[in-house]
Amino acid sequence: MAYKCGVSGSTILTDPSKLEELFCYDFVDHIEIGEFPNQVAFEEFITIKNKHGLSFGLHSPLYRKGSKYDLLQHVHMEPEAAWIQFDKELKKMSELGAEYVLVHFPYFKAENKENTFAKIESGLARLHALQGKYNISIVCEPKLGLNRSAVNIELLHRFPVERWEKYNVKLCIDIGDYLLGTKEKTLSYISKWKDHIKVVHLHNVECKDGNYYWIPIHPTYEKDGEYYKVKKIIEELARIEDIIFVLEHTPHSNPSRKFVQEGINWLHHLVKEKQ
């Protein structure tokens, strides 16, 4: 068994002036990034990544203002336009040797009872075909819907595993979304899909002035009632072969590099214990 520890572009909000900061941590051998402001910034990232020799994955969209949620339902653009964008991204990432392209799927703004599973399966068939066309892994991440609704996590939970596995499409589990959406049921929801999980978006959650912020994982939070406890979730996911843990906190809480590294060290210790 092996695992990778990754850092997300969310930690710097894909700020071109801070790209080098993604490569400054011990034990990190992977970068997941997307939503570049322009092509120049993306090309600069590729140059820096190649210099450091790390693997990378794209969190679609490649550029800001691109589609993030529209493959199954119009959110910001028509689904067919979103599929065209995604096709182009897959082609480009395949040519550049990306490990995977991650997309928000399934995504509906709210509960939609009209042929929902049929729409999901039709989307899976298209994703499967695109994987074969470009020979690159696609990773699907169910996200919270409007007003932090757990609609997409619940849809995935109800979707039959045997129908999903027909299409050989991997999953990303966002720990923050699952904790907010399923609370104490998070581990049971995750365990159903353990054979299909490739990526874990890893962070804790802080509520401030009615808003939720992604903050770094850290062992001290396990003893603080203000934060979620993530140790058992990490330990369970660490049993998955070739798992990729991606640190996905944002800079809003202004965490120090030392604090983030302590969380990475803790993660590395927990994973190695289980592998």
Side-chain angles (χ1 to χ4, degrees), residues 38-76:
N38 51 53
Q39 184 176 339
V40 172
F42 172 63
E43 290 174 352
E44 183 178 355
F45 165 75
I46 292 296
T47 298
I48 297 171
K49 178 201 72 70
N50 290 341
K51 179 181 73 175
H52 289 274
L54 277 60
S55 63
F56 85 105
L58 172 69
H59 189 310
S60 182
L62 179 58
Y63 298 116
R64 291 174 195 169
K65 299 184 179 179
S67 168
K68 292 180 71 173
Y69 305 105
D70 305 281
L71 294 184
L72 296 178
Q73 180 185 73
H74 184 290
V75 180
H76 299 296

Side-chain angles (χ1 to χ4, degrees), residues 152-160 188-190 192-193:
N152 300 301
I153 292 172
E154 294 290 350
L155 282 172
L156 179 66
H157 189 62
R158 298 200 305 269
F159 196 85
S188 64
Y189 272 56
I190 289 172
K192 175 180 177 177
W193 294 99

Side-chain angles (χ1 to χ4, degrees), residues 119-132:
K119 288 180 179 178
I120 292 174
E121 189 151 11
S122 176
L124 282 171
R126 294 184 75 167
L127 293 174
H128 175 74
L130 287 170
Q131 276 192 151

Side-chain angles (χ1 to χ4, degrees), residues 120-129 131 159 161-170:
I120 292 174
E121 189 151 11
S122 176
L124 282 171
R126 294 184 75 167
L127 293 174
H128 175 74
Q131 276 192 151
F159 196 85
V161 173
E162 62 274 11
R163 284 168 67 182
W164 186 281
E165 64 189 4
K166 280 173 52 181
Y167 301 100
N168 192 33
V169 175
K170 294 296 186 181

